[in-house]
């Protein structure tokens, strides 16, 4: 089922996601709906907060993106990142390497808004799968960026929080408008 995507201005986007002790039917259904919702919106990642659930759950799929490469070592094995997609991650714990790069980023909760964001080039993520198995990810490039963006969401952090103050200032009227539109829908 395709779910409505929560837009900027809704308080759930600022909520820290609850730890998931065990993936029950509710979590499995939510994850399947999140994948369907993300794919329908042509997104590369979606966090549970973006469909109104403050949980440590995110889905990612970078397989359709061209021109922005990724690399992935999954549980110690070098794999074609596209072949490992989509990813469904529960309770992800992120470690970032020091080296930073600046690239353009968007977010399904901020339609038509993009900004340059500094992110670590390489990350490691420990998480659990829907089957309850531990997964260890070493990622670089676009996948590393997407993981940082989504895990930020799970902690109530949005990409605008990572923008330079100049960039955020240049977007301020559009952000205010979006916030107002969203609040009208919430009431
Ligand atoms: Zn986002």
């Amino acid at each position: 089922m395709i779910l409505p995507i929560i837009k900027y201005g809704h308080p759930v986007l600022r909520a820290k996601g609850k730890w998931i002790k065990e993936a029950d039917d509710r979590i499995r259904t939510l994850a399947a709906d999140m994948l369907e919702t993300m794919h329908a919106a042509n997104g590369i990642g979606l966090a549970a907060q973006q469909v109104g659930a403050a949980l440590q759950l995110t889905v990612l799929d970078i397989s359709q993106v061209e021109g922005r490469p990724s690399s992935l070592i999954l549980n110690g094995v070098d794999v074609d990142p596209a072949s490992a997609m989509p990813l469904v991650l529960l309770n992800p714990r992120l470690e970032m390497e020091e080296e930073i790069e600046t690239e353009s980023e968007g977010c399904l909760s901020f339609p038509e808004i993009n900004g340059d964001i500094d992110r670590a080039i390489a990350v490691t993520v420990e998480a659990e799968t829907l089957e309850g198995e531990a997964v260890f990810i070493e990622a670089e490039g676009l996948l590393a960026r997407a993981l940082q963006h989504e895990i930020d969401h799970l902690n109530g952090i949005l990409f605008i929080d990572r923008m330079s103050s100049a960039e955020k200032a240049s977007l301020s009227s559009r952000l205010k408008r979006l916030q107002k539109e969203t609040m009208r829908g919430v009431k």
Side-chain angles (χ1 to χ4, degrees), residues 129-151:
T129 66
L130 278 178
E131 292 73 37
E133 282 161 10
V135 61
F136 187 62
I137 291 168
E138 297 163 75
E140 287 185 19
L142 180 65
L143 180 58
R145 175 169 295 272
L147 285 162
Q148 290 168 82
H149 180 113
E150 298 314 324
I151 294 171

Side-chain angles (χ1 to χ4, degrees), residues 50 106-109 149-150 153:
Q50 293 179 281
C107 178
L108 292 176
S109 295
H149 180 113
E150 298 314 324
H153 271 300

Side-chain angles (χ1 to χ4, degrees), residues 51-118:
V51 292
L55 291 168
Q56 292 289 326
L57 172 65
T58 182
V59 298
L60 299 111
D61 188 347
I62 50 90
S63 63
Q64 300 307 309
V65 181
E66 282 170 22
R68 289 181 77 172
S70 302
S71 71
L72 172 62
I73 301 173
L74 190 60
N75 299 323
V77 181
D78 214 326
V79 297
D80 171 12
S83 74
M85 299 295 133
L87 293 172
V88 177
L89 302 176
L90 282 64
N91 309 319
R93 287 87 70 196
L94 174 76
E95 301 260 358
M96 290 171 287
E97 305 272 312
E98 267 175 34
E99 205 184 335
I100 297 290
E101 67 181 353
T102 309
E103 294 271 1
S104 176
E105 226 170 87
C107 178
L108 292 176
S109 295
F110 293 78
E112 287 156 47
I113 292 176
N114 290 285
D116 285 340
I117 313 284
D118 290 349

